[in-house]
């Protein structure tokens, strides 16, 4: 069977694939990155029979039908018409499929194609409720509503916080209001953005104001570090490309939100290229110091702010 999942909801996609792995009971899982391999390589793996003849589940990341050559497309169609028992999961980065193409019609007819998209409020409420039900936990409608409210109805954040709560309540059946108050963090994406922007602008006063708000909201400093890494990486790309390209061309080149590029463009003169690289290197080391060396996550981040 072939599964094609389209969409950028990372956590939902991961859970969809995890559920598929559990349902299929396949232990032989092979990962391919379509940036490094082509469809022929993948089909050769699917058709290869190893010594033990184990059923395979092959997961293909960064897949795109737009990157596929015509001869590869023909081979893929041949396989769809003669699929074996192995399972292929394509994590497709295309926004949509070209419904006029033969391969799309074949996929629709013989395979499973699903768009993993952001849930509306009702769907998200049902999804979170089912997470508790599957884990034999008792929770009320209003308690789930409170979790979603704290997470500002963000799919990924709500799911992550629910998993934290389920882990916290291992061995206990009933979810209380106190549990939610204690465990579920408030989604502070806007404040994280404010903090990141203050770092890009070297606005020390705003940095510490936002940082203190986030810490009071129980936001893990590791989350802040991840956000800063992304911001500095984008800043570096925009700074380098701005030497030869316009802002609009940079948006097309990087294929990211125009507003993100605009904000980075505003800050390209605040840091030299060497400074950006050093900060990226230091942020990577902070992550290691926290996760591997066990250093105080608050102190290492605060020390980073002092050097800006």
């Amino acid at each position: 069977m072939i599964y094609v999942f389209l969409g950028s909801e990372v956590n939902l996609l991961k859970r969809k694939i995890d559920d598929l792995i559990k349902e299929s009971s396949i232990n032989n899982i092979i990962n391919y990155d379509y940036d490094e391999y082509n469809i022929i390589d993948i089909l050769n793996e699917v058709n290869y029979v190893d010594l033990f003849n184990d059923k395979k589940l092959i997961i293909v990341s960064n897949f795109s039908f737009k990157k596929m050559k015509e001869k590869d497309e023909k081979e893929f169609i041949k396989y769809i018409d003669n699929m074996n028992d192995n399972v292929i999961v394509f994590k497709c980065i295309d926004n949509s499929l070209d419904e006029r193409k033969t391969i799309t019609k074949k996929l629709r007819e013989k395979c499973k194609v699903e768009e993993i998209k952001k849930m509306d409020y009702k769907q998200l409420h049902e999804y979170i409720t089912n997470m508790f039900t599957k884990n034999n936990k008792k929770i009320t409608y209003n308690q789930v509503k409170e979790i979603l409210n704290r997470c500002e109805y963000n799919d990924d954040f709500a799911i992550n916080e629910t998993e934290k709560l389920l882990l916290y309540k291992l061995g206990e059946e009933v979810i209380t209001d106190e549990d939610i108050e204690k465990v579920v963090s408030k989604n502070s994406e806007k404040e994280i953005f404010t903090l990141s922007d203050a770092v890009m602008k070297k606005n020390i006063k705003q940095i510490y104001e936002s940082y203190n708000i986030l810490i009071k909201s129980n936001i893990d400093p590791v989350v802040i570090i991840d956000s800063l890494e992304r911001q500095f990486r984008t800043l570096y790309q925009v700074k380098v490309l701005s030497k030869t390209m316009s802002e609009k061309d940079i948006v097309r080149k990087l294929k990211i939100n125009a507003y993100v590029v605009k904000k980075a463009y505003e800050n390209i003169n605040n840091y030299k290229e060497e400074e950006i690289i050093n900060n990226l290197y230091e942020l990577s080391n902070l992550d290691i110091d926290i996760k591997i060396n066990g250093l105080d996550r608050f102190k290492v981040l605060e020390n980073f702010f002092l050097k800006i």
Side-chain angles (χ1 to χ4, degrees):
M1 177 55 73
I2 293 173
Y3 295 84
V4 178
F5 293 129
L6 299 99
S8 57
E9 296 295 313
V10 177
N11 277 332
L12 289 176
L13 177 57
K14 179 181 181 300
R15 284 166 180 79
K16 178 69 76 172
I17 294 173
D18 286 346
D19 289 342
L20 182 60
I21 291 171
K22 289 177 185 176
E23 290 168 10
S24 63
S25 300
I26 299 175
N27 295 319
N28 188 6
I29 300 170
I30 303 167
N31 289 282
Y32 277 91
D33 187 330
Y34 199 65
D35 286 338
E36 299 175 12
Y37 297 89
N38 60 41
I39 194 66
I40 303 300
D41 297 322
I42 295 160
L43 294 179
N44 285 340
E45 179 63 54
V46 174
N47 290 316
Y48 174 73
V49 179
D50 60 22
L51 183 63
F52 300 102
N53 197 25
D54 288 338
K55 191 174 179 180
K56 303 172 186 175
L57 190 152
I58 296 170
I59 300 173
V60 185
S61 301
N62 297 313
F63 181 75
S64 172
F65 288 98
K66 295 174 183 177
K67 297 179 185 177
M68 195 181 293
K69 297 177 182 176
E70 187 177 349
K71 64 175 183 176
D72 292 349
E73 192 171 304
K74 288 178 180 178
E75 288 300 315
F76 194 14
I77 290 171
K78 282 184 189 177
Y79 177 76
I80 293 173
D81 284 329
N82 299 278
M83 287 186 285
N84 58 33
D85 290 336
N86 292 318
V87 177
I88 316 177
V89 175
F90 290 100
K91 296 161 69 174
C92 187
I93 59 175
D94 298 336
N95 292 326
S96 61
L97 302 182
D98 187 343
E99 301 296 335
R100 299 167 298 177
K101 301 189 73 172
T102 302
I103 192 167
T104 302
K105 293 173 183 176
K106 286 282 184 182
L107 287 166
R108 297 284 188 195
E109 178 188 350
K110 297 191 172 185
C111 308
K112 294 190 177 180
V113 179
E114 184 177 348
E115 184 180 356
I116 310 299
K117 57 185 178 181
K118 187 175 179 63
M119 293 181 277
D120 61 27
Y121 177 81
K122 183 180 178 182
Q123 291 169 327
L124 184 56
H125 194 288
E126 288 175 356
Y127 190 95
I128 298 299
T129 301
N130 286 334
M131 287 181 70
F132 287 104
T133 302
K134 287 179 181 178
N135 285 274
N136 301 313
K137 305 297 181 192
K138 292 182 179 178
I139 190 166
T140 68
Y141 180 93
N142 284 334
Q143 285 175 325
V144 174
K145 184 178 178 181
E146 174 61 20
I147 292 171
L148 299 187
N149 184 48
R150 282 173 164 261
C151 298
E152 295 181 6
Y153 315 107
N154 178 294
D155 296 13
D156 283 346
F157 195 66
I159 292 168
N160 284 336
E161 291 304 297
T162 298
E163 287 184 336
K164 273 172 52 181
L165 185 52
L166 287 170
L167 191 61
Y168 176 74
K169 294 294 286 187
L170 273 177
E172 297 181 46
E173 185 178 354
V174 179
I175 305 295
T176 67
D177 293 344
E178 289 74 21
D179 295 330
I180 295 170
E181 176 70 28
K182 184 175 182 179
V183 176
V184 179
S185 303
K186 291 184 177 179
N187 186 4
S188 300
E189 284 186 357
K190 293 176 184 175
E191 201 61 52
I192 289 176
F193 178 82
T194 301
L195 172 61
S196 299
D197 191 53
V199 171
M200 296 302 108
K201 288 180 167 56
K202 296 187 176 182
N203 185 337
I204 304 301
K205 183 175 181 292
Q206 184 61 61
I207 288 172
Y208 282 100
E209 284 181 5
S210 295
Y211 174 70
N212 288 329
I213 291 171
L214 290 168
I215 296 307
K216 287 176 182 177
S217 299
N218 296 318
I219 297 300
D220 193 320
V222 170
V223 175
I224 300 173
I225 291 169
D226 287 343
S227 176
L228 291 174
E229 281 188 299
R230 288 195 300 272
Q231 291 291 332
F232 272 115
R233 202 174 295 116
T234 301
L235 182 65
Y236 182 77
Q237 291 174 315
V238 172
K239 187 174 182 68
V240 171
L241 292 174
S242 67
K243 297 174 184 176
T244 56
M245 298 171 67
S246 69
E247 189 177 325
K248 287 183 179 179
D249 288 336
I250 294 172
V251 172
R252 284 194 287 269
K253 173 75 173 176
L254 297 181
K255 296 179 181 178
I256 57 178
N257 189 287
Y259 182 74
V260 174
V261 172
K262 181 178 184 298
K263 296 300 290 184
Y265 206 87
E266 291 173 359
N267 296 317
I268 56 175
N269 293 323
N270 295 337
Y271 287 90
K272 296 178 181 177
E273 287 180 25
E274 186 179 355
E275 280 185 283
I276 300 173
I277 293 170
N278 287 340
N279 282 330
L280 281 168
Y281 180 75
E282 184 151 357
L283 286 165
S284 178
N285 282 340
L286 295 189
D287 204 45
I288 293 170
D289 284 339
I290 291 169
K291 295 176 180 177
I292 307 299
N293 300 328
L295 297 187
D296 187 297
R297 59 190 60 205
F298 298 99
K299 288 183 180 177
V300 295
L301 183 55
E302 288 161 13
N303 287 337
F304 173 77
F305 291 147
L306 288 172
K307 298 175 185 176
I308 291 174

